[in-house]
Amino acid sequence: MTGQQSEGDRKHPVDETLPPFKMFTSGLQHVAAMYAGVVAPPMIVGPACGLSATETAFLMGASLFTAGIATLLQTLGFWKVGAKLPFVNGVSLAGVTPMVAIGKAQSPGDALPIIFGAVIVAGVLGFLVAPYFSRLVRFFPPVVTGTVITLIGVSLLPVAFNWSQGGNDRAPDYGSLTNIGMAALTFVIVLVLRRVLRGFLQQIAILLGLIAGTLIAIPVGITHFSALSQASLVGFPTPFHFGAPQFDIAAIVSMCIVMLVCMTESTADMLALGRIVGRPADERTIEGGLRADTLGTALSPLFNGFANSAFAQNIGLVAMTKVRSRFVVATGGLILIVLGLCPVAASVISLVPLPVLGGAGIVLFGSVAASGIQTLASAAMEKGDNALIVAAAVGIGLIPIAAPDFYHHLPKDLLVVLDSGISTGCLVAIALNLAFNHFGRKAAEGDAGDATTADDPVAVGHGDPAPAAAPAH
């Protein structure tokens, strides 16, 4: 036994530190796998709120910075905050559609302050209810989470289609053969790369597709370097750069629903990740993880960031690489902070022409919808009224997409919630699941909606957390 650690003294792989070079390269790999998902929301919300290319680049840098802070809260933690698992946090796509709805309903100068005010309130309320929410997982079975994740992907696809045409419907070249051709080419490149590459390169196929598409677009003449030329090498996301937060009731309600969705997703991801790393996520772990999510969300608007939640694609990366150290992911969080403090890095992403981004976005957002469908496959659709729940929730959730003016006669404050198919679909799915599977005559039948319970992290979450799993953000 001399010179050997006893089994009791040996560190769990989650708590091990690696040699510096491997720590850095493994952390960088996590950043590369989730980079496109972090910068996509500000690239959508910025133009919707009337921001210029330079201001949108600033917003992207802020999102990288706040994602780094949220990741450190999650991996290192303090007090009762943090799951202390190799858990990557970043801007959630679930909030994009409601934030775009808020941006369109407000004047350009008020849009972001109202969004930030709503995110702060949602984060604080989420932090307060985290201990109780961790006990309510049974009320969010796959029939609910799958429906919501599917709606997130489907609701974002029109954004990718708009990008593919050029992004500005008043521009002379909107929908031109050049724009659509570049989107189609990028779409094909991403699919080919995803098919032929393996391992780490397969994980960043979308990022590689964006790079290839941008390089091809330079001689075509649709790549512009104005934002890059105006960006400084070093900068700090000035607190409340776009103005002091404003608090609007309708916006707050909408973002609180988003927070509920984010907490549901993160709970599922913690359950899945805990099984993968060999440290099952108990109620205390979930509670700490949700506190980190919500605290990171509440702090993000201070630095011009949005709501944060788990990134499921990084769970697949942990499963593939077998590197389970939370300190590797914490290193990735530090890299995100450094990128956020370097405006040039964020501006490089703004070089990507919108048609190129649209082609890749179809794959990215479509993967989210596919992940939701994968979750629904485990939702025991043949039992009880689960198929009816999905049909009703998806039908209501698609109204803002299929008929954008459907609610236009209703009060303006309601439109912030109703114009988000994700928010309305989520509410309908939760209400119908409670009505059909938890109360009344169905309760005695054993909650058909919970046929696949929270004990199965794959079922509750975004589907199989295997290396090739579709990203949930």
Side-chain angles (χ1 to χ4, degrees):
M1 296 295 293
T2 305
Q4 295 183 0
Q5 286 183 310
S6 68
E7 190 69 29
D9 294 334
R10 191 175 302 153
K11 284 185 178 180
H12 191 282
V14 169
D15 297 318
E16 288 180 343
T17 55
L18 306 181
F21 180 74
K22 188 172 183 180
M23 188 88 77
F24 175 77
T25 54
S26 298
L28 184 61
Q29 184 171 240
H30 276 283
V31 172
M34 52 96 75
Y35 193 92
V38 174
V39 298
M43 291 186 75
I44 300 170
V45 176
C49 294
L51 299 189
S52 65
T54 302
E55 291 173 323
T56 300
F58 177 89
L59 204 61
M60 288 189 288
S63 293
L64 292 168
F65 182 78
T66 54
I69 292 177
T71 299
L72 291 179
L73 287 174
Q74 194 66 263
T75 53
L76 302 181
F78 68 94
W79 184 57
K80 297 180 179 180
V81 175
K84 297 182 180 178
L85 291 172
F87 206 42
V88 176
N89 275 45
V91 183
S92 173
L93 280 172
V96 170
T97 303
M99 289 190 292
V100 169
I102 295 170
K104 291 180 177 178
Q106 306 294 333
S107 62
D110 293 331
L112 281 175
I114 288 176
I115 289 172
F116 290 146
V119 171
I120 290 174
V121 174
V124 171
L125 289 179
F127 186 86
L128 295 176
V129 304
Y132 310 100
F133 189 92
S134 61
R135 305 170 194 168
L136 300 177
V137 179
R138 66 186 299 267
F139 295 110
F140 298 91
V143 70
V144 174
T145 55
T147 299
V148 174
I149 296 167
T150 301
L151 283 172
I152 291 172
V154 173
S155 296
L156 290 171
L157 279 172
V159 175
F161 301 150
N162 181 49
W163 284 349
S164 298
Q165 297 176 85
N168 181 4
D169 58 4
R170 289 185 290 272
D173 64 343
Y174 185 74
S176 67
L177 183 60
T178 299
N179 287 343
I180 294 178
M182 280 304 309
L185 179 60
T186 305
F187 176 80
V188 171
I189 290 173
V190 170
L191 292 181
V192 171
L193 291 175
R194 183 74 185 181
R195 178 65 181 86
V196 302
L197 297 178
R198 292 291 181 269
F200 170 57
L201 294 178
Q202 187 185 61
Q203 290 286 332
I204 60 170
I206 290 179
L207 186 61
L208 295 176
L210 289 174
I211 294 172
T214 301
L215 293 175
I216 295 171
I218 293 175
V220 176
I222 61 173
T223 301
H224 305 289
F225 297 87
S226 57
L228 183 62
S229 63
Q230 298 173 20
S232 56
L233 182 61
V234 179
F236 186 80
T238 312
F240 299 129
H241 176 80
F242 297 98
Q246 301 178 27
F247 301 96
D248 178 86
I249 295 299
I252 289 172
V253 170
S254 184
M255 293 311 300
C256 283
I257 294 173
V258 169
M259 195 73 257
L260 180 70
V261 173
C262 292
M263 292 171 75
T264 304
E265 291 179 2
S266 290
T267 298
D269 288 334
M270 278 183 274
L271 290 166
L273 183 61
R275 177 174 292 185
I276 289 170
V277 301
R279 179 182 280 179
D282 55 17
E283 187 176 302
R284 182 177 179 182
T285 300
I286 293 173
E287 181 182 329
L290 293 179
R291 279 199 174 108
D293 270 6
T294 52
L295 179 60
T297 295
L299 292 175
S300 286
L302 173 64
F303 302 104
N304 314 285
F306 303 121
N308 289 291
S309 67
F311 269 49
Q313 59 264 50
N314 292 81
I315 295 176
L317 193 58
V318 172
M320 179 189 71
T321 63
K322 309 299 183 186
V323 177
R324 294 181 278 176
S325 171
R326 61 190 173 100
F327 297 104
V328 163
V329 176
T331 302
L334 291 173
I335 294 172
L336 286 169
I337 290 175
V338 172
L339 290 174
L341 295 175
C342 181
V344 170
S347 297
V348 168
I349 298 298
S350 68
L351 293 178
V352 180
L354 285 179
V356 172
L357 193 63
I362 293 174
V363 181
L364 178 63
F365 302 148
S367 295
V368 178
S371 182
I373 294 170
Q374 187 179 9
T375 302
L376 287 174
S378 65
M381 299 289 283
E382 74 283 358
K383 295 183 180 181
D385 297 305
N386 283 351
L388 181 61
I389 293 171
V390 175
V394 170
I396 295 297
L398 288 177
I399 288 177
I401 301 172
D405 296 326
F406 188 85
Y407 300 113
H408 73 285
H409 282 307
L410 297 180
K412 181 180 177 182
D413 288 344
L414 290 177
L415 296 183
V416 174
V417 177
L418 295 176
D419 278 346
S420 167
I422 297 169
S423 298
T424 53
C426 179
L427 288 175
V428 171
I430 291 172
L432 292 182
N433 179 60
L434 289 173
F436 292 156
N437 294 327
H438 290 275
F439 302 135
R441 62 184 177 86
K442 291 294 182 185
E445 299 175 13
D447 294 339
D450 292 323
T452 309
T453 68
D455 293 331
D456 184 353
V458 172
V460 179
H462 309 298
D464 186 1
H473 294 274

